[in-house]
Each structure stands twice: as C-alpha cells, then as structure tokens.
Amino acid sequence: MELRHVEEFRKLIIELGLPGQMDVLFGIGCPVCGKNDRICLLKPPGETAGNDDGVRYAWLWSLAGGDRVRLAVCKFCGYLVSINESTKRAELIL
C-alpha cells in the first residue's frame, strides 16, 4: 500500500470516528508507540458508514489488504496496523 493511501485511510478513520466501539485487543502492542491496550479492530466495509465515505473506506480497506488480514488502528497514536494471528502481534501497514 502506498504511503499516501495509508495517510488517506488514517484520516478517514479519524473523520468517521472509527472504530465506533472500542474492541481493544489487550496484550497486543503497537509497533509505533508500544501501548498494549489501545489496538482496536476495524470493521469490514459493509459494517461502516454508507455514501461516499463508505465507498472510500471500502476501497482503502481493500488496498490495505483487509480481505486477507485483520486490520486495526492504535487509538493512542492513530497508526494503521494488521494483526498477525500466528504471532499475536501488530504490524505496521506501509
């Protein structure tokens, strides 16, 4: 994913106030800030806002690999991460 798309996705997540519910993955640390109580899963596109924002979200979700990995955001520093199921670690999306 290109850096400009990562930044666009981060901005959209902030604009939409996602995730709406704080489904925190305790024990999984952020690779940027190190907090281990702030990683929150993002919902798939069908469960988010409709209209143009929903279309943008779906497009950016697919670019970030949301159909192949679990996407999350650190609610402390705002970075977009993927969750590695086998290691139970968050990995920065670049």
Side-chain angles (χ1 to χ4, degrees), residues 32-49:
V32 177
C33 69
K35 299 280 187 189
N36 66 359
D37 61 347
R38 302 294 172 92
I39 301 292
C40 298
L41 288 175
L42 292 172
K43 295 189 183 211
E47 299 177 33
T48 59

Side-chain angles (χ1 to χ4, degrees), residues 22-94:
M22 293 281 286
D23 294 327
V24 176
L25 299 175
F26 289 101
I28 297 180
C30 176
V32 177
C33 69
K35 299 280 187 189
N36 66 359
D37 61 347
R38 302 294 172 92
I39 301 292
C40 298
L41 288 175
L42 292 172
K43 295 189 183 211
E47 299 177 33
T48 59
N51 63 36
D52 292 339
D53 287 335
V55 172
R56 255 176 69 213
Y57 183 86
W59 177 68
L60 292 165
W61 172 274
S62 67
L63 284 179
D67 54 341
R68 298 180 314 277
V69 296
R70 292 175 70 192
L71 296 179
V73 65
C74 177
K75 292 301 280 184
F76 182 77
C77 66
Y79 277 90
L80 185 62
V81 296
S82 64
I83 304 301
N84 184 321
E85 293 293 331
S86 62
T87 63
K88 300 293 185 208
R89 295 181 58 141
E91 299 171 352
L92 190 60
I93 293 180
L94 294 175

Side-chain angles (χ1 to χ4, degrees), residues 6-17 56 78:
V6 172
E7 289 302 315
E8 184 179 349
F9 202 10
R10 285 180 65 199
K11 286 179 187 175
L12 182 62
I13 289 167
I14 292 168
E15 286 172 22
L16 296 176
R56 255 176 69 213

